[in-house]
């Protein structure tokens, strides 16, 4: 991610985004940076030096590492979405079936099952058009649940791996803490996410 070096007047002060929210406390509290590629990694190091940072934190431009981190971030964010639905009162007890292109890859779906700590169904046909067909049929005389059971066929179910779930829960709770500290996550949602992680 690109960083902008502070001017002499702002150096050492808190960085804010246009909304006025604090982004970073101090440049010297950054543990490390994953840049999009080697070129932007070099620019990031230059930005730290221009900002007067004495010890530049570790910087990587490894796109493979970035992809892994982005995937991990997506998994724990997905769990946070489920936490929020639970807080709103939605029932989360039923089966979960994945759709879209990603549902064709068990390698991509396994960590999602791990993060959610629940089995995930992978359908034979994961295209969005099938979902629209189910809705169209349910719009006639067939209840939605019955239409889905009749039309959606699972090719496999991905079970969560408990040891992986425990590791991902640590990342999930770190994300919750960071979002709450920055004021980007309401305290009620953060409390519910922590409770659900310890069930």
């Amino acid at each position: 991610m690109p960083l902008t070096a502070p001017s002499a007047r702002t150096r050492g002060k808190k960085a804010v985004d246009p909304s006025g929210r604090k982004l970073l406390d101090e440049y010297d509290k950054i543990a490390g940076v994953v840049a999009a590629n080697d070129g932007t990694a070099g620019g990031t190091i230059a930005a730290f030096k221009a900002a007067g940072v004495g010890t530049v934190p570790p910087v990587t431009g490894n796109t493979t590492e970035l992809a892994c981190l982005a995937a991990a971030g997506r998994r724990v964010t997905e769990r946070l979405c489920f936490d929020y639905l639970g807080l709103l009162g939605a029932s989360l007890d039923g089966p979960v079936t994945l759709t879209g292109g990603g549902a064709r890859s068990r390698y991509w779906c396994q960590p999602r099952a791990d993060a959610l700590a629940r089995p995930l169904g992978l359908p034979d046909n994961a295209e969005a058009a099938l979902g629209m067909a189910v809705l169209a049929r349910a719009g006639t005389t067939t209840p939605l649940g019955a239409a889905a059971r009749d039309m959606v066929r699972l090719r496999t179910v991905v079970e969560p791996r408990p040891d992986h779930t425990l590791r991902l829960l640590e990342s999930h709770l770190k994300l919750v803490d960071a979002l709450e500290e920055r004021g980007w996550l309401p305290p009620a949602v953060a409390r519910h996410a922590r409770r659900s992680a310890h069930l």
Side-chain angles (χ1 to χ4, degrees):
M1 63 179 62
L3 294 176
T4 303
S7 66
R9 288 182 304 171
T10 61
R11 191 171 298 145
K13 296 182 180 178
K14 296 183 185 300
V16 296
D17 71 8
S19 72
R21 292 186 184 276
K22 296 173 184 175
L23 296 178
L24 303 169
D25 288 336
E26 304 285 348
Y27 276 88
D28 60 5
K29 291 184 181 176
I30 298 174
V33 178
V34 179
N37 51 50
D38 289 340
T40 54
T44 300
I45 293 169
F48 274 118
K49 290 181 178 177
V53 175
T55 302
V56 175
V59 177
T60 178
N62 186 323
T63 52
T64 301
E65 186 174 349
L66 177 61
C68 291
L69 290 172
R74 174 177 174 154
R75 293 167 200 144
V76 295
T77 301
E78 189 170 44
R79 182 183 175 95
L80 184 57
C81 292
F82 271 77
D83 289 339
Y84 189 53
L85 286 172
L87 179 64
L88 293 175
S91 172
L92 303 178
D93 297 332
V96 176
T97 302
L98 303 181
T99 60
R104 290 193 290 267
S105 169
R106 186 186 179 95
Y107 179 81
W108 176 255
C109 297
Q110 179 65 67
R112 296 174 71 185
D114 297 337
L116 293 172
R118 61 189 303 163
L120 300 179
L122 306 185
D124 280 328
N125 184 344
E127 299 302 321
L130 177 61
M132 294 306 297
V134 170
L135 289 175
R137 180 172 177 193
T140 56
T141 58
T142 307
L144 179 58
R149 284 190 296 273
D150 186 46
M151 298 176 68
V152 178
R153 299 282 183 265
L154 295 183
R155 62 181 169 84
T156 190
V157 174
V158 180
E159 297 289 340
R161 300 168 295 184
D163 54 330
H164 288 71
T165 295
L166 287 175
R167 287 201 298 272
L168 285 166
L169 278 180
E170 291 179 15
S171 299
H172 174 63
L173 293 174
K174 286 179 183 177
L175 173 67
V176 169
D177 290 344
L179 292 175
E180 185 181 27
E181 286 170 10
R182 288 165 172 79
W184 297 343
L185 189 68
V189 180
R191 285 193 300 272
H192 182 79
R194 292 186 189 102
R195 281 197 303 269
S196 75
H198 293 101
L199 291 179

